[in-house]
Structure formats: structure tokens, C-alpha cells
Amino acid sequence: MSDVNARIEAEVKNNDVVLFMKGTPQFPMCGFSGQVVQILSYVGVPFKGVNVLEDQEIREGIKAYSNWPTIPQLYVKGEFVGGCDITREMFQAGELQALFEEKGIAVKQAS
């Protein structure tokens, strides 16, 4: 396993929810990353954001790691979920919240 794969693997394995994104959760640098941050914040799930703009190796390596060509990329309990469109569709259908609950990750209850 290459060094970049080992670094990606460590992030995915050591964080229940991790988002490889452009920018940070506080300052997303693209609309797609921003949408996923909004969804995760809305459901109240704590997550780690990894800014691919700060590390070219991670930016290219994550695409090979997941065999997915675009960023952002969401991982839950080590499992690749998808990018912005898949995350949004799952959220709208209630499937994302169900996935978090199934994996033992508490979501904020709608009031």
C-alpha cells in the first residue's frame, strides 16, 4: 500500500464519518462540498472534513482509493457512500439518516 493510501485508510478507519472535500466544513470551497456539509450539519452528525486542496497526493489518491472520479466523497464507518448527488438523494429519501442509525451513529431528531 502506498503512503497516500495508508493516510487515506487511516482517515477512513479512524473516523466514523469523514468527508473528503474541497475546503473545510467551516469554509467549503465548492458548491458540492458545501451541500454535503449542509446535509451532515442538518442531520446533526459529527464528521471530519479532509481538505483535498491542501494536499495534492490526497486529492488524486482518494479518487483511486474509491474508484470514484469526483470530490466530495463521503465515508461512513469505513464504507464509501458516494459524492454530492448520491448523498443528497439518500438524504431526501431518508436513506442517509437510516444508514447513520444502522451504523450506530446518532442523528438529530427532527423537531
Side-chain angles (χ1 to χ4, degrees), residues 37-100:
V37 167
Q38 277 189 312
I39 289 167
L40 295 174
S41 297
Y42 181 82
V43 298
V45 170
F47 68 97
K48 177 168 185 188
V50 176
N51 184 358
V52 301
L53 298 177
E54 291 181 341
D55 190 326
Q56 192 62 34
E57 275 191 336
I58 295 277
R59 186 175 186 172
E60 294 308 314
I62 192 63
K63 295 174 188 178
Y65 180 84
S66 62
N67 199 25
W68 191 261
T70 59
I71 293 165
Q73 293 187 15
L74 179 64
Y75 290 80
V76 176
K77 294 273 185 162
E79 177 184 325
F80 176 59
V81 174
C84 179
D85 290 345
I86 291 170
T87 302
R88 185 177 56 242
E89 289 167 14
M90 288 179 70
F91 168 70
Q92 290 169 340
E95 295 168 2
L96 186 65
Q97 300 88 317
L99 173 68
F100 288 134

Side-chain angles (χ1 to χ4, degrees), residues 3-23:
D3 179 49
V4 70
N5 269 6
R7 290 169 47 214
I8 291 168
E9 184 91 4
E11 293 291 359
V12 169
K13 297 284 188 242
N14 295 329
N15 297 285
D16 285 347
V17 181
V18 62
L19 179 65
F20 290 85
M21 62 181 291
K22 293 178 180 174

Side-chain angles (χ1 to χ4, degrees), residues 16-37:
D16 285 347
V17 181
V18 62
L19 179 65
F20 290 85
M21 62 181 291
K22 293 178 180 174
T24 65
Q26 297 76 22
F27 296 104
M29 300 296 283
C30 86
F32 298 115
S33 293
Q35 284 183 41
V36 178
V37 167

